[in-house]
Amino acid sequence: MGDGSAMIRCTNCKHPNQDGAIFCANCHHFLAWESAPAAGGEPESEEAPDPPAQADPEPPPQPRAEGAPERSRESPESTAPLTPVAPTPGPAAVRDLVAVIDASGTLVGSRGRADLSRRLTGVRTMVQQRSVTVAVVGEFKRGKSTLVNALLQTAACPVDADIVTGTPTLVGYGERLHVVAHLQKPGDVDETTEEVRFEDLATLVSERSDDQPTDVRSVEVRVPHRMLRSGLCLLDTPGVGGLESVHGQLSLASLNGADGVLFVTDASQELTAPELGYLTTALERCPRGALVVTKTDLHQHWRRIVDTNREHLATAGIDVPVFAVSSFLRLRAARESELNQESGFAPLAEFLAGVLEQTLRHQAGRAAHEVDFVAAQLAHENDAERVVLARPESGGAMVEKLDAVHERARSLSAPSAAWQQVLADGIQDLVADVEHDLAARLRTVLRDARDIVDESDPKDTWEETQAWLRRQVAEAGVANRDLLLHRANQLSDAVAEQFSLESGSGVELELDSVTRALAALELPSASTFAMPGGRLGSVLSSGRLAAYVPLMALSVALNTTLLIIPPAALVGAVVGRTLFKMESKRQKVYRQGQAKAAAGKFVDEVAFEMNKDTRDGLRRTQRRLRDEFQSRAGSIQASTSAALAAARRASQLSPDAQAARAAQLDQETQQLGRIRDGMRTLATAGSA
Amino acid sequence: MVDELTTRIRALAAEARTSAAGPEGVAALTGVVERLDGPIRLAISGKVKAGKSTLLNALIGENLAPTDAGECTRIVTWYRYSDRPFATIVPNEGEPVETTYRRGQDSLEVNLDAHDPEAIDHLEIGWPTKRLADVVLIDTPGIASISAEVSARTHRVLSAERGRVPIADAVLYLLRHTHSADLRFLESFHDDEVAEGTPVNTVGVLSRADEIGCARLDAMEVAERVARRYETDSRLHRLCPVVVPVNGLLGHAAATLREDEYAAVAAVARAPKEVIGELLLTADRFATGESSLVPTEDRARLLDRLGLFGVRLAVELVRSGAVETSSGLSSQLAEVSGLGRLREVVLRQFDARARILQARSAVAALREIFARGDCSDGPALMRRLEQITSGAHEFEEVRILLEVRSGELSLTPDQAGELDLLMGGSGHEPGTRLGLTEAPSADRVRQAAVDALARWQAVERHPLSSRATQIAARAATRTLEGMLAG
């Protein structure tokens, strides 16, 4: 494997691609789905080739015909594909994972554990729905929307020479073309969604010329595009207008949820200091980034600009790839494919493939934790039974031990469990701390604002002061959200720790006769937490989501409170500027008072909105954490009682039946062991 | 009208000179008169890389302004007409010193000797070109990238702080294509202190206009559309009510188009359409692509001079037979570049107003001199000055115009538009003031004036009109009465 003969032929343009490619080098179509069937019509049977990238080959998963519906599209008879194809590591990991999940599902089903099979279904959905978000950010009019369009060679994002994108637009895969708008009506806490016609998209996302804030928070465009089938989602953002601006702060905050970031600048000029600053900050939040220099078709000296940009990056100590592209050529390449090379998009697609692969591997790792948890639950039951079968004489003692564990597991799901206390207290502390932090930040801002107003006449300076104030408040808001996020993660760690502490270290079992694959039996929870790649990946991701939602609300707060500003802004709008410097001191003092009141009111409004959002968000987080741990506790309890029952049952079997049962259990245990080994490998890879 | 005012102020200054105490007073008064008689001073301002120097070179028609990095860009530079070329260093302290310069490849390299750039107030370049005959251009450093000291200097050129005499009469503010439907716009616009230009004397220039439309052949029309939208944007309107799209690079190239460049364009234009399309697809292809039509280095140079848009346009013009000579191409390109229109806006539409602004600057300067006691009979002179200014309807008009444009008056949009025109917002000809198009007959003007008079008298008398509106309406009636009487 991995020699020159390993090629993936693109089904779209027949271009032979390098082994391991995710997108076709010629037309950038997504290849992984193609490679799956080519790997062998009736695939991944016992003799299926090992995935090349894995040093430690995974156990061949149980084939399940309906496990991967995509495969059935190709004729299974084609046993001799044109080229021997190796599946790519990223998506292959996902594909294998789905197979493993299904295999475990069969086992779980045979045990009648509804709780575990629910869990598996959830994981399976998460893995299959995989979405990898790459945000496209940059200053105004640098060609962000055009870049997205050019990448996909479709008109997914509206572009215009004059009008700019005003609403974040997520372009992702869908079976059919449709557009969904996420709306938040004034005063509503939750977003509502509404399907809109594609023709209305342009008016929806274009920046409006009037001052009215719109209800539209974001727009989702679903396109049946082959490249997007990989799970790639492109987030087109409004121009940031400098790190200093409110929008800059907000889109920076939204990067917390992105898996990759493309910073877009154009070939007309080198990176400016604000752009560089923004890039630095953006990469702190989303380390997988690249600089894309667009419009190379328009500027003769783009190579010099690109070189200068590279130097700037090197000076700033930023190590990201730089891609020079021409969206214009790439769009034309839809008709004349030979232009593709010239457009410079190939390395960019390669970069995206890298992001995709890494993220998917990471997601697979997260899912692996879950599958491992389920497998461990089953193994626990099996082991108890096997010990009793191996040493029938110790059956009584075994049952006693299991009884004790069962008791402990039951107390885990009781409302009085200590982890419940940690969670409840933690949330209360969190609310208090986060609110205090926001209050402190805003107070500083307000004090500065008052000083500024005192030092000048609002008539001349209010506009600037107002802009400054909005920036500062946005900055404070984002910093506060970061704190919230950080603390929420800490809390879920603390709860997890308490939980595993409580669930105990497990039962000591003498396993001399049951040697293979079983060193010690432990309560499953501990192993789940101790796995590499951090604890509770999936819970953390839901925590992140819950905290992410309020951020959108911050922009609402800033927008709606803007409506309150105008009366005060009038103070500033009465700008006689330099000609009318002769006004009485009294008037000035009056204006200063007005301005300070307006600033205070603005800050109050923002604090009010944000505190509400903090509470809402944390309540959601609390509920999610509680439900998650509750269901884990339930599973553990069910496992212990099943183990108990199994042990009792085993001790009452006839010797013949015991032997048969032991053989069956051995086989199952081996399978479980393989699954768990595989999952650990995946989890390790995902956390790398 | 303006001339009359100017004459009276000049006479007063001359009279004051006789009673001036000491040479400093005389010098100051001489300065006032010179300022009054001199050409308009036009400052060019904008962010770094907005295309200031390119525009300046295009306006002068020669490569004088340094278009790349270097000490000179950090210094405010004046370009004025002179019979012989010269370069003078005007230090913060002490007498101006003439210095040597060298004509470089693309710019004028002024020898700063041992002068510390920080200690130089500004440079003065004299150049014998008729394009500078009626205007003094003041190049200011881009503000985002420079030291606070330089920034302060730029600020002083543009602003009339505390009743001091502003150095520039009008301001060209270079905007690159930015956007917003909210205050972000002003946030980016207010990134420097240029806004000190008032709405009555600032012209917005949408620079690098061809890039907005991605160098397609209709790029300038797209830019025009953008400029119109900017003009209707109420917030921007307060800062610069007029926005002109300009492609400085093309304008400059058009003004200095050489015969061999025309030949190169023509050679490309003779090729079959598909070949041209391929060659002009990207800048890269044109500059370095394989083609025997024109030597590669010539193509690269042509591209540097005209830009991709310019090359595309020039080839299209020649190919379609719209132009057949280099001078024809030159004038066509000049027209498309928008440079001519900018000159017209500045010198025609702004000329009359700039004179008033000059006069106002002169009054401010005289007031300062009299108050300082540089003249023996200061109080008496001050009274005379007050008499002149209080009777000057021109000043009143500028003041009202400013109020209208800054949105201070509570008027309907129609009324505001009418008043803007009436106060000379688009020019001081009676027809223009009344909003009549073409060249209206005297009767037509008269009739329109009578109608308008009745309207504004009604506004003035209306019991619900605010005091400010009443005053504005009174000024309008006075303007109209003057028009009818004249």
Side-chain angles (χ1 to χ4, degrees):
Chain A
M1 280 296 166
D3 56 34
S5 65
M7 293 287 224
I8 305 174
R9 192 170 290 276
C10 173
T11 50
N12 185 52
C13 66
K14 306 288 176 246
H15 180 81
N17 285 284
Q18 283 299 309
D19 170 26
I22 290 187
F23 297 120
C24 170
N26 183 43
C27 63
H28 302 318
H29 274 165
F30 180 51
L31 294 172
W33 298 113
E34 267 70 58
S35 63
E42 195 54 39
E44 277 121 316
S45 54
E46 251 57 9
E47 307 81 50
D50 294 349
Q54 239 104 22
D56 183 9
E58 286 177 38
Q62 296 287 319
R64 297 248 305 185
E66 70 273 30
E70 291 78 14
R71 289 175 206 163
S72 54
R73 286 190 300 116
E74 302 269 327
S75 66
E77 289 80 20
S78 63
T79 41
L82 292 173
T83 43
V85 177
T88 52
V94 172
R95 204 171 48 241
D96 294 345
L97 188 63
V98 171
V100 174
I101 292 172
D102 291 333
S104 335
T106 329
L107 271 178
V108 168
S110 70
R111 299 287 173 92
R113 288 288 297 272
D115 58 328
L116 293 182
S117 65
R118 254 203 314 279
R119 197 168 273 276
L120 280 181
T121 315
V123 175
R124 194 175 194 279
T125 318
M126 183 189 106
V127 171
Q128 285 195 320
Q129 265 183 353
R130 64 231 187 114
S131 81
V132 179
T133 309
V134 174
V136 182
V137 299
E139 288 274 6
F140 299 114
K141 299 314 285 179
R142 291 293 193 270
K144 292 181 291 300
S145 302
T146 315
L147 181 76
V148 172
N149 284 347
L151 205 56
L152 303 178
Q153 293 185 315
T154 55
C157 299
V159 281
D160 186 281
D162 185 15
I163 311 300
V164 296
T165 310
T167 312
T169 310
L170 188 78
V171 184
Y173 183 77
E175 290 295 332
R176 61 187 177 88
L177 177 72
H178 69 287
V179 182
V180 175
H182 294 265
L183 309 166
Q184 187 171 34
K185 303 252 158 50
D188 282 7
V189 176
D190 291 318
E191 286 189 343
T192 51
T193 55
E194 191 176 292
E195 186 158 348
V196 286
R197 292 186 310 156
F198 186 71
E199 296 79 59
D200 299 334
L201 183 62
T203 40
L204 209 61
V205 304
S206 297
E207 197 162 70
R208 294 166 55 149
S209 50
D210 53 19
D211 270 343
Q212 298 308 311
T214 67
D215 298 339
V216 184
R217 292 272 129 312
S218 64
V219 174
E220 239 180 288
V221 183
R222 294 284 162 190
V223 191
H225 193 280
R226 295 170 68 85
M227 192 171 180
L228 296 175
R229 274 184 82 162
S230 60
L232 183 68
C233 292
L234 296 165
L235 180 66
D236 182 24
T237 62
V240 294
L243 184 58
E244 291 288 284
S245 76
V246 174
H247 271 70
Q249 286 291 335
L250 288 178
S251 66
L252 204 56
S254 74
L255 284 182
N256 279 330
D259 301 299
V261 58
L262 297 180
F263 189 88
V264 179
T265 178
D266 68 27
S268 72
Q269 67 179 79
E270 57 199 79
L271 281 174
T272 60
E275 279 182 316
L276 205 57
Y278 190 89
L279 182 58
T280 313
T281 327
L283 288 173
E284 280 165 15
R285 281 157 198 270
C286 179
R288 275 193 287 267
L291 178 72
V292 182
V293 182
T294 58
K295 305 188 189 174
T296 54
D297 53 299
L298 290 185
H299 301 278
Q300 187 188 352
H301 302 296
W302 63 267
R303 286 184 188 81
R304 210 178 64 201
I305 298 285
V306 170
D307 288 343
T308 322
N309 283 345
R310 283 216 173 89
E311 277 166 34
H312 283 319
L313 291 181
T315 317
I318 302 174
D319 181 26
V320 293
V322 182
F323 304 114
V325 300
S326 162
S327 301
F328 166 73
L329 286 179
R330 165 84 176 147
L331 283 168
R332 264 181 94 98
R335 279 168 298 164
E336 308 163 41
S337 62
E338 63 273 19
L339 288 178
N340 244 324
Q341 199 54 39
E342 208 175 326
S343 74
F345 265 78
L348 177 60
E350 216 167 274
F351 169 78
L352 289 176
V355 173
L356 197 68
E357 191 185 313
Q358 265 181 305
T359 313
L360 287 182
R361 203 185 286 155
H362 187 69
Q363 285 180 358
R366 237 156 53 191
H369 281 278
E370 286 293 308
V371 179
D372 184 64
F373 175 79
V374 171
Q377 298 294 325
L378 295 180
H380 181 56
E381 190 181 329
N382 264 8
D383 290 344
E385 201 175 343
R386 285 172 69 209
V387 169
V388 176
L389 287 174
R391 296 224 187 122
E393 69 281 3
S394 66
M398 187 68 214
V399 167
E400 253 171 54
K401 274 183 184 170
L402 283 172
D403 244 345
V405 174
H406 183 58
E407 217 25 63
R408 208 159 61 211
R410 206 166 55 199
S411 71
L412 253 188
S413 27
S416 58
W419 67 265
Q420 294 260 29
Q421 206 58 41
V422 171
L423 179 61
D425 289 352
I427 289 284
Q428 292 219 328
D429 289 354
L430 229 171
V431 169
D433 287 357
V434 169
E435 287 191 358
H436 179 260
D437 174 77
L438 182 68
R441 282 176 202 278
L442 290 181
R443 203 167 58 180
T444 316
V445 170
L446 197 56
R447 198 183 306 136
D448 290 351
R450 289 203 172 114
D451 288 350
I452 291 176
V453 170
D454 275 338
E455 271 167 29
S456 60
D457 187 342
K459 198 180 72 165
D460 298 331
T461 58
W462 179 243
E463 270 175 39
E464 286 98 304
T465 313
Q466 201 184 335
W468 176 88
L469 185 64
R470 281 163 46 79
R471 274 202 304 271
Q472 296 297 310
V473 167
E475 209 178 307
V478 169
N480 182 248
R481 283 294 178 249
D482 281 352
L483 175 80
L484 172 65
L485 217 65
H486 178 66
R487 291 287 307 272
N489 281 346
Q490 270 185 345
L491 175 64
S492 70
D493 273 357
V495 176
E497 205 168 316
Q498 184 61 41
F499 191 83
S500 68
L501 209 68
E502 251 181 278
S503 59
S505 58
V507 196
E508 303 268 325
L509 294 171
E510 300 82 28
L511 287 167
D512 322 338
S513 58
V514 199
T515 45
R516 245 177 333 137
L518 289 169
L521 177 61
E522 50 190 10
L523 260 184
S525 57
S527 72
T528 324
F529 298 143
M531 273 174 82
R535 308 168 154 186
L536 292 175
S538 56
V539 186
L540 293 200
S541 75
S542 65
R544 180 171 82 169
L545 229 94
Y548 177 65
V549 174
L551 239 167
M552 290 281 110
L554 171 60
S555 74
V556 187
L558 289 171
N559 267 334
T560 47
T561 37
L562 240 193
L563 292 176
I564 304 162
I565 282 292
L570 281 181
V571 181
V574 191
V575 177
R577 289 206 95 68
T578 41
L579 279 188
F580 306 91
K581 292 277 184 186
M582 289 177 293
E583 70 286 320
S584 74
K585 189 162 182 261
R586 195 184 57 78
Q587 276 174 320
K588 181 176 159 188
V589 170
Y590 173 74
R591 275 193 298 270
Q592 284 173 337
Q594 291 273 301
K596 278 189 269 191
K601 194 167 178 192
F602 174 69
V603 168
D604 270 359
E605 286 289 334
V606 171
F608 179 75
E609 293 274 341
M610 282 195 60
N611 282 337
K612 170 96 173 72
D613 287 329
T614 304
R615 281 165 187 274
D616 286 347
L618 282 178
R619 215 172 296 143
R620 275 194 291 267
T621 309
Q622 181 183 18
R623 227 173 285 148
R624 241 171 252 193
L625 282 174
R626 195 195 57 211
D627 291 352
E628 169 65 24
F629 283 108
Q630 194 73 270
S631 99
R632 260 171 214 271
S635 288
I636 292 171
Q637 195 193 341
S639 297
T640 49
S641 58
L644 198 56
R648 285 203 177 112
R649 199 169 55 234
S651 61
Q652 284 156 13
L653 284 176
S654 68
D656 279 356
Q658 278 188 347
R661 181 72 184 148
Q664 190 194 351
L665 282 177
D666 272 354
Q667 198 203 340
E668 271 185 24
T669 307
Q670 269 178 34
Q671 196 186 337
L672 281 173
R674 277 200 303 268
I675 289 177
R676 293 193 65 188
D677 279 351
M679 290 303 104
R680 278 162 192 269
T681 316
L682 261 183
T684 317
S687 67
Chain B
M1 296 198 304
V2 184
D3 293 341
E4 194 188 322
L5 181 67
T6 317
T7 315
R8 290 170 70 187
I9 296 171
R10 197 186 293 120
L12 184 66
E15 195 185 322
R17 200 151 41 172
T18 58
S19 67
E24 274 174 32
V26 173
L29 287 164
T30 312
V32 169
V33 174
E34 273 175 11
R35 175 80 191 270
L36 213 46
D37 292 340
I40 307 183
R41 294 176 184 178
L42 185 63
I44 299 179
S45 152
K47 274 169 119 173
V48 197
K49 278 280 165 194
K52 287 188 301 295
S53 297
T54 308
L55 179 64
L56 192 100
N57 283 340
L59 284 172
I60 303 174
E62 304 218 20
N63 283 336
L64 292 188
T67 45
D68 215 328
E71 286 296 77
C72 285
T73 52
R74 294 184 54 206
I75 299 168
V76 174
T77 312
W78 295 33
Y79 299 87
R80 61 165 75 233
Y81 176 79
S82 157
D83 294 333
R84 63 168 188 98
F86 70 83
T88 304
I89 296 171
V90 182
N92 289 333
E93 314 264 318
E95 289 297 302
V97 201
E98 190 160 338
T99 182
T100 55
Y101 62 88
R102 204 168 61 80
R103 193 91 202 255
Q105 176 73 31
D106 310 303
S107 68
L108 207 62
E109 289 164 18
V110 177
N111 179 8
L112 293 182
D113 290 331
H115 289 274
D116 175 10
E118 299 287 319
I120 297 174
D121 184 78
H122 67 266
L123 279 178
E124 267 192 62
I125 310 285
W127 208 256
T129 168
K130 64 178 188 341
R131 286 166 194 271
L132 285 174
D134 46 7
V135 64
V136 173
L137 294 173
I138 304 177
D139 190 13
T140 64
I143 292 155
S145 70
I146 44 172
S147 67
E149 164 64 14
V150 182
S151 174
R153 225 178 282 152
T154 307
H155 188 203
R156 197 148 51 76
V157 169
L158 301 173
S159 70
E161 232 178 318
R162 306 251 164 261
R164 283 197 50 186
V165 188
I167 293 171
D169 297 311
V171 179
L172 288 186
Y173 185 75
L174 271 64
L175 302 151
R176 275 193 74 180
H177 192 215
T178 45
H179 263 277
S180 174
D182 61 28
L183 285 171
R184 250 188 303 162
F185 200 23
L186 289 176
E187 278 178 44
S188 71
F189 195 78
H190 272 245
D191 52 2
D192 49 40
E193 296 86 351
V194 172
E196 290 296 344
T198 60
V200 291
N201 70 349
T202 305
V203 181
V205 176
L206 193 57
S207 63
R208 299 175 81 155
D210 54 324
E211 286 175 15
I212 296 166
C214 294
R216 285 193 308 265
L217 282 174
D218 64 346
M220 290 306 286
E221 283 140 49
V222 173
E224 182 69 31
R225 217 171 67 219
V226 174
R228 291 289 78 73
R229 199 173 56 75
Y230 280 3
E231 283 185 3
T232 54
D233 188 297
S234 61
R235 289 169 307 263
L236 193 51
H237 192 82
R238 278 180 215 146
L239 289 165
C240 48
V242 184
V243 180
V244 184
V246 170
N247 180 350
L249 188 67
L250 190 59
H252 183 222
T256 55
L257 192 73
R258 291 193 307 267
E259 204 60 50
D260 61 320
E261 287 167 336
Y262 172 75
V265 169
V268 175
R270 274 194 296 276
K273 202 173 171 192
E274 303 76 50
V275 176
I276 298 177
E278 281 291 301
L279 193 61
L280 290 179
L281 194 62
T282 68
D284 248 10
R285 288 192 178 202
F286 188 73
T288 58
E290 291 292 316
S291 169
S292 53
L293 297 170
V294 179
T296 318
E297 52 274 25
D298 286 2
R299 274 184 276 145
R301 207 161 40 239
L302 196 62
L303 193 59
D304 266 340
R305 286 260 291 151
L306 294 174
L308 186 62
F309 170 72
V311 173
R312 282 179 180 169
L313 180 69
V315 168
E316 180 58 28
L317 284 171
V318 175
R319 201 186 64 82
S320 65
V323 298
E324 284 162 354
T325 60
S326 73
S327 62
L329 182 62
S330 164
S331 64
Q332 278 284 331
L333 293 183
E335 193 183 319
V336 174
S337 76
L339 205 62
R341 185 151 160 250
L342 180 65
R343 280 190 84 89
E344 190 185 333
V345 166
V346 170
L347 296 179
R348 297 273 162 69
Q349 194 176 332
F350 271 58
D351 186 52
R353 195 176 317 131
R355 295 284 151 205
I356 298 169
L357 295 173
Q358 268 184 339
R360 209 177 58 186
S361 306
V363 168
L366 285 177
R367 194 172 278 141
E368 199 179 302
I369 294 168
F370 297 159
R372 211 163 46 211
D374 280 353
C375 299
S376 52
D377 50 353
L381 286 168
M382 191 69 103
R383 268 199 303 282
R384 294 267 307 281
L385 187 64
E386 292 303 331
Q387 272 171 12
I388 294 175
T389 52
S390 63
H393 184 55
E394 293 86 346
F395 287 169
E396 179 73 358
E397 282 184 343
V398 170
R399 195 182 66 76
I400 303 278
L401 191 61
L402 191 63
E403 279 188 354
V404 172
R405 290 189 171 175
S406 57
E408 271 178 70
L409 295 174
S410 46
L411 296 169
T412 65
D414 282 351
Q415 281 178 327
E418 195 184 335
L419 194 58
D420 191 305
L421 284 177
L422 211 48
M423 293 294 108
S426 302
H428 285 221
E429 292 306 307
T432 320
R433 282 179 188 251
L434 289 166
L436 302 173
T437 47
E438 315 284 305
S441 65
D443 277 352
R444 183 97 204 284
V445 170
R446 197 173 176 77
Q447 191 51 47
V450 170
D451 292 349
L453 186 60
R455 268 201 306 280
W456 286 104
Q457 277 171 344
V459 173
E460 188 190 340
R461 283 197 222 101
H462 199 285
L464 290 182
S465 293
S466 72
R467 172 134 182 84
T469 311
Q470 282 177 357
I471 293 174
R474 194 171 304 146
T477 56
R478 190 170 160 196
T479 300
L480 288 162
E481 280 162 2
M483 219 182 277
L484 289 168

